[in-house]
Amino acid sequence: LEHEGAITAFAYHADQLYSGSADGTAKVWDVERRDCVLSLAGHDGAIFAFAFDGCWLYTGSEDSTIIVRDQRRGARVATLSGHRKAVRALACDVSGYGAVSLYSGSDDGTVKVWNMRGLSKLQESA
């Protein structure tokens, strides 16, 4: 299965390759079998960033949102909104048991910190 648009992001995690596309989809690839094992739709713009915390898969997009998914099944858990422009960068901080912060950087010039335990925005820097 190929993407219908240009590849705009790559990530490698837990023996799987993740690709994001200008068509707004992400695909999960089994590297050994060289096969697509999951195709994920949901964004209305290109996917630019991936992050992982061991439980959730995060995708950041041109549509200014971050989609949070169950890492194993791909089911959408939440959509994080707050940026005014494309989300270009994501990073996770897993500090302590179950305490996770997600950091997002955007073309709007802000970095946001999200508390993933409560799925809420903690801080914003201009």
Side-chain angles (χ1 to χ4, degrees):
L1 297 171
E2 295 180 359
H3 286 285
E4 293 181 18
I7 303 299
T8 54
F10 267 128
Y12 185 84
H13 179 75
D15 296 327
Q16 292 181 316
L17 180 68
Y18 294 76
S19 58
S21 174
D23 64 16
T25 65
K27 294 192 183 292
V28 184
W29 304 88
D30 182 305
V31 176
E32 283 188 23
R33 293 190 337 228
R34 297 180 183 202
D35 191 25
C36 179
V37 295
L38 205 52
S39 186
L40 308 169
H43 282 293
D44 292 326
I47 293 174
F48 293 130
F50 290 99
F52 312 87
D53 68 13
C55 182
W56 309 125
L57 159 65
Y58 306 93
T59 53
S61 173
E62 180 179 29
D63 67 9
S64 76
T65 67
I66 301 161
I67 293 180
V68 184
R69 298 180 186 273
D70 178 282
Q71 193 170 314
R72 290 191 176 142
R73 294 177 317 216
R76 186 189 295 212
V77 174
T79 301
L80 306 178
S81 301
H83 285 291
R84 295 180 312 277
K85 293 186 179 178
V87 177
R88 297 277 182 172
L90 296 172
C92 289
D93 175 20
V94 182
S95 47
Y97 181 75
V100 177
S101 294
L102 175 71
Y103 300 87
S104 59
S106 169
D107 284 352
D108 64 15
T110 65
V111 171
K112 297 189 185 307
V113 183
W114 306 84
N115 174 355
M116 298 319 299
R117 177 174 279 180
L119 294 177
S120 61
K121 184 174 57 176
L122 288 176
Q123 294 178 307
E124 179 174 340
S125 74

